[in-house]
Amino acid sequence: MIDRSILMCLGSGSNPFQHLEKSAVLQEARIFNETPINPRRCLHILTKIIYLLNQGEHFGTTEATEAFFAMTRLFQSNDQTLRRMCYLTIKEMANISEDVIIVTSSLTKDMTGKEDVYRGPAIRALCRITDTTMLQAIERYMKQAIVDKVPSVSSSALVSSLHMVKMSFDVVKRWVNEAQEAASSDNIMVQYHALGLLYHLRKSDRLAVTKMLNKFTKSGLKSPFAYCMMIRIASKLLEETEGGHDSPLFDFIESCLRNKHEMVVYEAASAIVHMPKCTARELAPAVSVLQLFCSSPKAALRYAAVRTLNKVAMKHPSAVTACNLDLENLITDSNRSIATLAITTLLKTGSESSVDRLMKQISSFVSEISDEFKVVVVQAISALCQKYPRKHSVMMNFLSNMLRDDVSSSKDGGFEYKRAIVDCIISIIEENPESKETGLAHLCEFIEDCEHTVLATKILHMLGKEGPRTPTPSKYIRFIFNRVVLESEAVRAAAVSALAKFGAQNDDLLPSVLVLMQRCMMDSDDEVRDRATFYMNVLQQKQKALNAAYIFNGLSVSVPGLEKSLHQYTLEPSEKPFDMKTVPLATAPITEQKTEIAPMATSKLPEKLAPSRQDIYQEQLAAIPEFQGLGPLFKSSEPVQLTEAETEYVVRCIKHTFANHMIFQFDCTNTLNDQLLQRVLVQMEPSESYEVLHYVPAPSLPYSQPSSCYSLVRLPEDDPTAVSCTFSCTMKYLVRDCDPNTGEPDDDGYNDEYVLEDLEVTVADHIQKVLKPNFGAAWEEIGDEFEKEETFALATVRTLDEAVNNIISFLGMQPCERSDKVPENKNSHVLFLAGVFRGGHDVLVRARLALADGVTMQVTVRSTDENVVDVILASVG
Amino acid sequence: MDSAALEPSLYTVKAVFILDNDGNRLLSKYYDPELYPSMKEQKNFETNVFNKTHKADNEIAFLEGMTIVYKSSIDLFFYVVGSAQENELMLMAVLNCLFESLSQMLRKNVEKRTLLDNMDGVFLVVDEIIDGGVILESDPQQVIEKVNYRCVSEQAYGFVLFDYITGNMEAQGERRQLL
């Protein structure tokens, strides 16, 4: 005895549960059947069982059921703790033991009994083992329990009801009156739980939620948790109703900034910050409470404040400048997360002169912070480079150090973070021509030791694109060819493609590239061999046009579209070869997908290749029988609003262009809850020789359920230059009045119409954007057969930027070679635009702009079709 | 984490766990079935969290897309986990309630040995604070009253050792009877 107690004393850090054996514990559980019950020993055994379950020990169904049934005998004991542990065991075993419902009557007895200590936990255990069918049987008890005067009973019943909403919404919904009563309880937790349950039961009914909010925000709440809940509901409502900042909901949230609980104040500030369309003035009170929190002794509060300020700084850097001093104090915070957030916020709000100092500070502890925050740092740097392009060398050094350190510290993981760095370096290279060579050198160094295939292929693609146009392209060849020797198939294939680009661009490198290609043709992987053979043959032709078409500028079609067309082609055997022009073009050119600066997101979902918007439309339109045989969808425009925002009916139009037709899709929404519209169509009166062939009405348009109707229009065939047209539009429909509550319509209705705004079709609707990564090559490829040139004076335009933006939006073409960015302090600029005209004719535009008293513009157009050239020049003029 | 809209919900806590100073799990509850459904993922997460937090007492961290608030006491580490968008102070309220309740129940001896000797009480305390991810109670005093648990005192063993070393066999006998 003495020895044992000494051992226990000396080894006070050891774990008495450490060497538990499941079988031994289950063996011990037999004493549950002894009479009289020994509460202390039984309690100890139950604790062991729960401990084992908690450690992840697997219990077979039979042994679990056996132990469970033995445990039910312990309900005979009146030891409080033992009974409570029984409830816990029931909850833990609910899913692994069979026939757990045998304890229902014992639990029902406890939940309605005299012992208040048992009642709450018994309810929670009971609801855990109850299914939909049994719920009816205990419904009466649940209703009583919800309004019970003992807070723990009421809370337990409310929370359990909430858990059961998922399982049997309809039953729980019947308890809404009881929940309503509980919401007026004096107990803070009961009120919180009742509000939570009420919201879950009513959230689909916006009116009821609004009423609930009004009631409780007026009478005031006791629990800070309930306030937080209300703030979230209010901001959700505001967002859904697009309510302005004069709404009482906003006033409520703002009033919470003066609550005595920090939790509520923070919730309110965070809600305001996250509101879309919030102006700096509305932000100010929220920012000033966050500023106060920055000097709190509580780390969690400082963290919350600086994290939220960091978000404000993304959209409204000026609103946060007032906090710069407080943030400065946080950059040495011992909590590195807080320090990192403070620095990245300052990088967004501070001036150019403080950049060097902040970067130095963050370098001192960058190795200590978690990957999530490293990504935040990289994103901040990326944003900074756009703001202060002159600082790119500091940034580039910092990034490459981060990349290098990380490679040496951890071989695996950190993918998100490395990808962020690589993306950032690439975007710096694209923004700053001066940084190109250093950037490429850093990337070359990185792929020497990079275990992520995705990153390696991305960098190789980048090298292939930018490398050949640097002063000394030959130095990159070694890095690329090393990949061919050392890496996996995907990387080797990417390296081969990159090599081919060097060969195509630089004549003096061509012989060496051809030698390397020859080696690649002996590769063990068929994709690598195929690519090498293909490029070898193209390169040997030594023709600029071939190089441009097959090496520099890749496919411009939509990949899901191509897949579908090819599948269709194989289903219907035909003599005709497959025609690439029948495939819809890709809509979103790669460069437009700027990495958003917002997310710290580590979304766990695997990224899927989502079908583009246009592919979705293609599918929808193909399902309508009237629109068969129009060929592939060429282009879908952005939606155009044809009504004011706050009218009875909201209509927007999407223009779908086909080879010889256009389909106008009208998305209509009925905002009147006492009307049902039927047979809705939009009648169109064209101003030019456009011909409306067919209307497809929307059969029915109930309140707030959007529906679409369509019009099919044939484009004038005899006059290909008639590209623009104005349609006057009128919506026609049958109105049936209906009961706003039930939606039940009257039997008879009447015809009515509603005038919409005019709809314009412009030249941009006939041109699809296509990115030509190498514009020069594409220019040569098309040749000057149909080249035309004209000079225009743009008198009303004052800056080059404005001129460039006007031309791009007017023609709807894709700017290439980043020529849409006008360098600062220049008086002339050249804009390159590429696109495909309806019918599949490539069209390229080169616009030379000169600034002097307005802008003078010399436009050169090349295309594979003469008409197209005329159309473009005619519409510009 | 562009999460403008945080769906209004009572489900605040994603997980709560107590680890010892080697990072071993003493107690852990996961309330969101989608978050780390398997035991292996849970333990990996706990190891990762422990490695990143045990050196510095920083109170709050952001790992694997989760906000984690934590606190240590002698050889124990307490963690409360919520989503990235969750109000950090709500999580803090849960952590403080857990810690204060245990501290009261264990008579300020918040260390591994006492905790394990009163493991049944610890299970009950956690059960009273969080139910399926919903904060059930945040006032430590209420929690203690509801659990109504009698702590097994560790102190007695200390006296036994003291008496043993000082050779006070008589007192030892008495204490043994007391136990």
Side-chain angles (χ1 to χ4, degrees):
Chain A
M1 179 64 196
I2 291 169
D3 287 345
R4 205 182 125 235
S5 56
I6 291 172
L7 274 178
M8 286 171 88
C9 281
L10 295 179
S12 72
S14 77
N15 182 343
F17 298 107
Q18 200 158 33
H19 300 295
L20 282 186
E21 283 266 350
K22 179 179 70 174
S23 51
V25 173
L26 290 173
Q27 194 77 23
E28 278 184 287
R30 295 204 173 152
I31 66 148
F32 291 168
N33 289 318
E34 282 174 15
T35 344
I37 292 167
N38 178 339
R40 285 203 62 173
R41 285 185 65 195
C42 293
L43 190 55
H44 197 57
I45 293 161
L46 278 185
T47 313
K48 285 181 186 170
I49 292 178
I50 296 180
Y51 186 86
L52 282 176
L53 284 168
N54 209 271
Q55 289 294 322
E57 185 81 45
H58 177 76
F59 280 65
T61 313
T62 328
E63 52 191 8
T65 312
E66 211 164 280
F68 186 84
F69 274 68
M71 182 273 300
T72 57
R73 246 199 103 245
L74 302 180
F75 271 88
Q76 288 172 11
S77 162
N78 275 327
D79 184 277
Q80 260 191 25
T81 314
L82 181 61
R83 181 72 61 87
R84 299 286 311 272
M85 286 304 277
C86 286
Y87 300 146
L88 272 193
T89 318
I90 292 170
K91 290 203 271 188
E92 293 288 337
M93 286 198 155
N95 289 337
I96 45 176
S97 162
E98 286 176 333
D99 300 322
V100 284
I101 52 167
I102 59 151
V103 288
T104 305
S105 62
S106 307
L107 290 173
T108 322
K109 203 170 125 222
D110 281 355
M111 108 181 227
T112 51
K114 287 200 186 65
E115 285 271 16
D116 285 345
V117 198
Y118 292 159
R119 292 173 63 202
I123 292 172
R124 291 189 280 129
L126 180 61
C127 291
R128 185 77 177 75
I129 59 167
T130 299
D131 59 21
T132 317
T133 49
M134 280 163 49
L135 191 55
Q136 314 268 2
I138 59 162
E139 184 172 1
R140 188 162 57 93
Y141 302 120
M142 286 302 289
K143 281 182 166 181
Q144 281 167 5
I146 290 176
V147 293
D148 199 283
K149 62 181 191 308
V150 180
S152 72
V153 175
S154 179
S155 271
S156 296
L158 287 162
V159 173
S160 302
S161 309
L162 181 68
H163 294 326
M164 290 190 299
V165 165
K166 283 177 225 125
M167 180 179 80
S168 27
F169 181 82
D170 293 327
V171 180
V172 180
K173 202 173 161 76
R174 295 202 291 258
W175 310 343
V176 76
N177 286 334
E178 282 74 17
Q180 186 85 45
E181 192 179 327
S184 319
S185 162
D186 286 337
N187 183 283
I188 59 168
M189 290 319 278
V190 174
Q191 186 179 47
Y192 170 56
H193 295 138
L195 287 175
L197 178 62
L198 278 176
Y199 175 71
H200 271 271
L201 292 176
R202 287 173 169 174
K203 61 182 166 191
S204 55
D205 181 354
R206 193 181 293 163
L207 200 68
V209 175
T210 317
K211 271 188 195 156
M212 180 172 120
L213 261 180
N214 283 344
K215 180 172 171 208
F216 289 103
T217 51
K218 280 211 188 76
S219 61
L221 295 156
K222 296 196 178 61
S223 148
F225 295 119
Y227 264 113
C228 291
M229 178 85 186
M230 284 297 166
I231 291 171
R232 285 181 204 176
I233 298 175
S235 67
K236 185 160 188 267
L237 263 184
L238 266 176
E239 195 178 334
E240 282 173 359
T241 55
E242 290 172 13
H245 302 290
D246 42 358
S247 148
L249 292 174
F250 186 80
D251 293 344
F252 162 67
I253 298 178
E254 202 169 34
S255 73
C256 288
L257 287 175
R258 294 181 290 278
N259 195 288
K260 65 177 190 293
H261 292 280
E262 282 169 343
M263 186 194 293
V264 179
V265 177
Y266 169 63
E267 184 75 41
S270 156
I272 293 176
V273 165
H274 281 116
M275 274 176 203
K277 293 186 282 182
C278 206
T279 63
R281 197 171 56 84
E282 285 143 3
L283 278 174
V287 170
S288 59
V289 300
L290 292 172
Q291 184 177 9
L292 281 180
F293 288 164
C294 281
S295 43
S296 160
K298 295 178 199 158
L301 195 50
R302 291 199 304 274
Y303 172 87
V306 71
R307 200 169 78 116
T308 314
L309 284 174
N310 189 27
K311 255 186 217 138
V312 184
M314 282 174 193
K315 276 193 218 141
H316 304 276
S318 56
V320 189
T321 354
C323 311
N324 277 1
L325 214 58
D326 306 79
L327 291 170
E328 285 280 352
N329 291 330
L330 294 180
I331 63 176
T332 49
D333 201 295
S334 64
N335 185 329
R336 294 311 191 196
S337 308
I338 296 177
T340 312
L341 284 167
I343 292 179
T344 51
T345 313
L346 282 171
L347 285 176
K348 290 181 193 113
T349 62
S351 63
E352 189 165 0
S353 56
S354 60
V355 168
D356 291 299
R357 186 172 54 86
L358 291 169
M359 298 295 282
K360 202 168 160 205
Q361 176 72 30
I362 201 163
S363 320
S364 66
F365 62 80
V366 74
S367 57
E368 292 171 43
I369 58 182
S370 66
D371 275 5
E372 277 87 350
F373 281 105
K374 285 182 185 165
V375 174
V376 176
V377 173
V378 175
Q379 282 165 347
I381 292 176
S382 172
L384 203 61
C385 289
Q386 285 171 12
K387 202 163 139 201
Y388 303 123
R390 268 180 295 165
K391 287 285 168 197
H392 70 84
S393 63
V394 185
M395 311 291 171
M396 195 71 96
N397 266 332
F398 179 77
L399 288 173
S400 67
N401 281 337
M402 268 173 113
L403 207 51
R404 204 174 298 143
D405 290 350
D406 203 68
V407 168
S408 56
S409 68
S410 66
K411 276 283 173 190
D412 55 323
F415 170 67
E416 283 298 326
Y417 155 58
K418 283 181 199 164
R419 184 167 70 174
I421 299 184
V422 169
D423 284 347
C424 184
I425 294 186
I426 289 180
S427 78
I428 296 179
I429 293 175
E430 292 184 341
E431 303 285 328
N432 293 286
E434 311 99 88
S435 67
K436 193 187 279 180
E437 284 203 57
T438 37
L440 289 180
H442 289 311
L443 292 178
C444 283
E445 187 189 338
F446 174 60
I447 53 168
E448 288 286 275
D449 192 10
C450 167
E451 70 277 25
H452 303 292
T453 311
V454 183
L455 294 182
T457 49
K458 188 167 189 169
I459 292 173
L460 283 170
H461 177 75
M462 182 74 195
L463 285 176
K465 203 169 115 205
E466 299 291 347
R469 285 184 272 179
T470 54
T472 48
S474 57
K475 68 177 173 192
Y476 301 106
I477 301 263
R478 179 175 65 86
F479 289 101
I480 298 175
F481 193 68
N482 277 348
R483 299 304 100 212
V484 180
V485 183
L486 298 166
E487 295 278 356
S488 64
E489 295 81 15
V491 180
R492 294 207 300 270
V496 168
S497 300
L499 276 181
K501 287 182 186 152
F502 281 86
Q505 181 90 15
N506 306 91
D507 290 336
D508 48 335
L509 286 178
L510 185 61
S512 354
V513 169
L514 286 177
V515 173
L516 295 176
M517 280 292 169
Q518 230 149 13
R519 285 230 222 137
C520 298
M521 284 161 68
M522 259 99 75
D523 197 278
S524 58
D525 181 72
D526 55 350
E527 171 72 20
V528 180
R529 281 198 309 272
D530 287 355
R531 285 198 192 191
T533 316
F534 173 73
Y535 289 131
M536 180 85 183
N537 285 303
V538 175
L539 287 173
Q540 277 170 341
Q541 306 300 316
K542 295 188 181 159
Q543 286 181 23
K544 279 256 151 51
L546 281 178
N547 286 350
Y550 296 111
I551 297 182
F552 294 125
N553 299 324
L555 278 179
S556 56
V557 295
S558 119
V559 175
L562 178 62
E563 188 185 343
K564 224 172 287 166
S565 308
L566 283 173
H567 182 64
Q568 197 63 37
Y569 183 75
T570 53
L571 287 182
E572 299 162 3
S574 81
E575 291 292 302
K576 278 195 301 182
F578 181 74
D579 183 6
M580 275 304 263
K581 287 195 173 154
T582 61
V583 182
L585 295 167
T587 35
I590 306 113
T591 49
E592 283 196 335
Q593 296 168 346
K594 279 263 153 121
T595 38
E596 282 192 22
I597 308 167
M600 244 197 248
T602 41
S603 66
K604 286 181 189 144
L605 295 169
E607 282 176 40
K608 267 190 241 158
L609 184 66
S612 70
R613 183 171 150 266
Q614 183 161 341
D615 292 321
I616 297 168
Y617 287 134
Q618 166 94 6
E619 204 132 291
Q620 284 173 356
L621 294 174
I624 299 170
E626 283 85 349
F627 300 152
Q628 298 295 337
L630 299 181
L633 174 58
F634 179 72
K635 181 177 185 178
S636 297
S637 73
E638 292 298 312
V640 184
Q641 297 294 340
L642 295 183
T643 53
E644 303 282 328
E646 303 279 320
T647 45
E648 299 96 307
Y649 313 114
V650 179
V651 180
R652 53 173 211 170
C653 176
I654 299 165
K655 299 173 269 187
H656 302 290
T657 313
F658 291 79
N660 296 309
H661 299 81
M662 282 185 92
I663 293 176
F664 298 92
Q665 173 185 344
F666 297 95
D667 295 337
C668 314
T669 312
N670 172 7
T671 63
L672 300 176
N673 62 359
D674 57 352
Q675 280 192 356
L676 169 72
L677 307 189
Q678 288 182 322
R679 299 203 295 274
V680 184
L681 60 85
V682 176
Q683 187 169 344
M684 304 176 75
E685 294 293 337
S687 65
E688 304 285 326
S689 58
Y690 283 49
E691 184 188 355
V692 182
L693 294 182
H694 198 82
Y695 292 110
V696 178
S700 135
L701 188 62
Y703 165 58
S704 85
Q705 288 175 23
S707 185
S708 301
C709 60
Y710 301 90
S711 308
L712 174 62
V713 169
R714 182 162 60 211
L715 300 171
E717 276 166 26
D718 44 340
D719 181 13
T721 55
V723 287
S724 53
C725 178
T726 307
F727 292 90
S728 48
C729 304
T730 315
M731 183 160 83
K732 299 199 165 180
Y733 45 85
L734 177 77
V735 185
R736 291 172 72 182
D737 292 326
C738 60
D739 185 326
N741 295 321
T742 60
E744 201 60 46
D746 289 350
D747 288 336
D748 46 332
Y750 51 93
N751 285 310
D752 201 355
E753 55 180 57
Y754 188 82
V755 178
L756 303 174
E757 284 171 28
D758 288 353
L759 181 67
E760 302 270 354
V761 173
T762 61
V763 63
D765 292 317
H766 302 269
I767 299 176
Q768 178 65 280
K769 292 179 178 188
V770 171
L771 181 73
K772 299 279 183 196
N774 191 323
F775 187 84
W779 187 254
E780 294 305 321
E781 179 196 347
I782 288 191
D784 54 4
E785 193 183 348
F786 300 116
E787 183 182 288
K788 280 192 187 169
E789 196 169 85
E790 239 176 279
T791 308
F792 304 92
L794 310 174
T796 53
V797 183
R798 292 279 147 229
T799 65
L800 286 178
D801 256 331
E802 195 185 341
V804 165
N805 291 334
N806 282 352
I807 300 167
I808 293 172
S809 65
F810 180 75
L811 287 178
M813 293 172 73
Q814 174 67 35
C816 295
E817 313 271 332
R818 290 180 295 285
S819 60
D820 52 331
K821 291 209 179 61
V822 182
E824 282 174 47
N825 306 324
K826 285 268 181 71
N827 286 330
S828 62
H829 183 68
V830 186
L831 174 66
F832 301 113
L833 295 171
V836 172
F837 196 79
R838 175 169 59 80
H841 301 292
D842 273 330
V843 50
L844 300 174
V845 171
R846 187 181 65 196
R848 295 178 200 272
L849 304 163
L851 183 70
D853 248 17
V855 175
T856 318
M857 171 171 79
Q858 183 193 45
V859 180
T860 317
V861 186
R862 285 186 178 189
S863 170
T864 46
D865 184 76
E866 190 169 10
N867 280 329
V868 176
V869 176
D870 293 336
V871 166
I872 304 257
L873 280 179
S875 57
V876 173
Chain B
M1 134 170 105
D2 183 44
S3 56
L6 181 55
E7 178 66 16
S9 157
L10 294 189
Y11 294 97
T12 307
V13 182
K14 296 271 183 204
V16 53
F17 45 89
I18 305 175
L19 306 180
D20 71 5
N21 54 353
D22 297 319
N24 297 316
R25 163 195 284 201
L26 301 180
L27 175 152
S28 85
K29 299 284 287 172
Y30 286 75
Y31 299 106
D32 183 349
E34 284 163 25
L35 177 76
Y36 310 119
S38 77
M39 192 57 61
K40 193 167 163 241
E41 290 167 287
Q42 293 181 1
K43 293 211 167 159
N44 279 343
F45 175 63
E46 284 160 29
T47 313
N48 183 18
V49 169
F50 181 76
N51 290 339
K52 295 271 163 55
T53 55
H54 75 283
K55 278 182 224 128
D57 200 4
N58 276 335
E59 197 171 304
I60 186 157
F62 185 80
L63 288 165
E64 301 189 20
M66 298 284 156
T67 302
I68 298 152
V69 293
Y70 61 101
K71 198 177 181 85
S72 67
S73 169
I74 311 178
D75 49 3
L76 291 173
F77 290 82
F78 300 85
Y79 297 90
V80 175
V81 181
S83 80
Q85 300 89 334
E86 194 48 75
N87 185 327
E88 289 85 349
L89 303 182
M90 279 174 107
L91 299 176
M92 235 16 229
V94 175
L95 179 68
N96 285 335
C97 176
L98 174 67
F99 188 81
E100 285 303 315
S101 306
L102 291 179
S103 171
Q104 275 194 43
M105 188 179 85
L106 304 175
R107 310 206 179 124
K108 302 244 155 63
N109 297 315
V110 188
E111 44 104 18
K112 184 175 168 186
R113 182 66 215 214
T114 328
L115 185 98
L116 286 170
D117 283 338
N118 297 284
M119 206 56 199
D120 38 359
V122 179
F123 283 127
L124 292 176
V125 163
V126 172
D127 182 60
E128 280 298 343
I129 298 176
I130 309 157
D131 185 275
V134 179
I135 305 175
L136 197 60
E137 183 52 74
S138 64
D139 176 4
Q141 205 51 49
Q142 292 288 329
V143 173
I144 289 299
E145 273 173 35
K146 285 182 193 169
V147 172
N148 189 20
Y149 179 82
R150 293 176 306 279
C151 171
V152 179
S153 179
E154 164 85 354
Q155 225 173 5
Y157 294 119
F159 281 106
V160 171
L161 179 66
F162 179 78
D163 292 343
Y164 179 73
I165 292 166
T166 54
N168 187 347
M169 294 305 281
E170 206 177 311
Q172 243 174 54
E174 280 169 26
R175 295 236 185 261
R176 211 178 302 159
Q177 276 164 3
L178 262 174
L179 279 172

